[in-house]
Structure formats: structure tokens, C-alpha cells
Amino acid sequence: IKTATQSLGATDPLTLQLRLSHAQALMVQRKHQLAFDETEELLPLVEKRFGADHPRVMRLLGARVDLLKSLGRYDQAIAEGDRMWQTSARVYGTASYDALAMRADTAFVRCERGQTAIGLREVRQAHAIAVRAFGPDGDLTQGIRAGALTDCLIAARAYPEADRVLAGVDADKLSR
């Protein structure tokens, strides 16, 4: 990374990709704080190079949300998730895969944080849009149903509904 930065420059696409890959490697190693620190330095450079709406910025924001959750910094994770959701919805549409996935992920963080009413409302909205956009058996729909929706229902202590939701999940789709 040091060599790429010196020879190509700090905002060269290859240098930025190397740094993002480095941050992701740190995540895999569960070195969450180091990975977050790298993304903290990297985000302004990626935004400067590609613009705030670029897919690389979205990927970096998604990584940051995951890191913030791992660090227990839920309020920041929610703020970053909301930012990514709003940008994805504006750029790709509210029914886009990325927008819906981030909306569901952020809703789940809200539920983990104890904001179950808001989180449950948001994940229900994301699920309803996913059903319309991808169908009830779509991979994203199934993922939202098996993940964030069920988890938020459990957090809200709506166990019978969580059971019904899980009964509608195609386990074979999730195992692919």
C-alpha cells in the first residue's frame, strides 16, 4: 500500500482498492478497530476520487456499518446505514437490491439497539418492497424474511409471528 501510494498517489483507483482490500482483510481477522480506522481515512479519499454516489463509496459505507456494529457503536452504525440507504435509494431506486438490503440491515441494528418499533416498521417496509420487486420467493425477500424481519420480531417478543415468518422461508434458497 505504501509503495502504491508513493508511486501512484493516494487517490489512484488501484491504491484505493488496495486499501479497501486491506480493511476487508482486517475485518476477516476480527481486527475491527484497525479496519474501521482504515475506512475512516479511506472514505474521504474515495468520495473525492469517485463522488459520494459511486458504488465503491456504497461498498465502503456498508463495510463501515458492519464494523460499527461489531464495535458496539450502534448509533453510528444506524447513521451510516441510513446514509447508505438514502444514497442507494436516490441513485438506484427504493426497490434496488442495495437500498433494500441496507434498509433491512439498518432496521436490524435499530432492533438490536432497542429501537424495536422503528426497526420493525422499517424492516416490514423493506420486506414489502422486496416482495413487490423480487417476488415472495426472491433471494433478497427470503434473506430479509429469515434475517432482519425474524430477528426484529424476536426482539419485539412477537414469537408467534416470528414462527409464521420463518415457516415461509425456503431454506434451500438461503443455503446457496
Side-chain angles (χ1 to χ4, degrees):
I1 293 173
K2 185 177 180 180
T3 302
T5 302
Q6 290 172 344
S7 63
L8 301 171
T11 60
D12 182 81
L14 180 59
T15 303
L16 296 173
Q17 184 58 51
L18 287 170
R19 290 188 69 185
L20 178 56
S21 295
H22 179 245
Q24 290 170 328
L26 291 169
M27 287 174 66
V28 170
Q29 296 171 37
R30 298 191 180 281
K31 296 178 180 178
H32 302 297
Q33 186 61 56
L34 289 173
F36 181 77
D37 293 345
E38 180 67 15
T39 66
E40 189 76 1
E41 291 178 19
L42 192 53
L43 184 60
L45 298 173
V46 174
E47 286 179 322
K48 179 181 176 184
R49 175 65 184 207
F50 298 107
D53 297 345
H54 194 275
R56 287 188 189 190
V57 174
M58 297 297 107
R59 196 164 65 240
L60 185 55
L61 287 173
R64 287 169 57 86
V65 170
D66 290 339
L67 288 165
L68 288 164
K69 286 189 302 189
S70 296
L71 292 167
R73 293 161 57 180
Y74 296 109
D75 291 334
Q76 286 178 279
I78 290 167
E80 294 272 334
D82 283 343
R83 175 182 172 199
M84 185 176 170
W85 173 75
Q86 290 166 356
T87 303
S88 294
R90 186 181 72 253
V91 173
Y92 305 113
T94 56
S96 70
Y97 186 96
D98 288 340
L100 290 172
M102 184 48 60
R103 188 57 156 181
D105 286 350
T106 303
F108 171 66
V109 176
R110 286 188 197 285
C111 290
E112 281 189 313
R113 183 72 172 128
Q115 301 172 2
T116 51
I118 297 168
L120 196 49
R121 185 186 71 237
E122 289 177 356
V123 75
R124 285 183 195 280
Q125 290 169 347
H127 182 260
I129 295 169
V131 168
R132 287 192 303 275
F134 301 102
D137 296 326
D139 292 348
L140 180 61
T141 308
Q142 292 281 315
I144 291 172
R145 190 177 298 141
L149 180 55
T150 299
D151 290 340
C152 282
L153 288 167
I154 291 169
R157 294 189 163 88
Y159 303 120
E161 186 179 356
D163 283 342
R164 285 191 302 277
V165 168
L166 276 176
V169 172
D170 182 348
D172 290 334
K173 282 193 173 285
L174 296 177
S175 65
R176 283 190 237 155

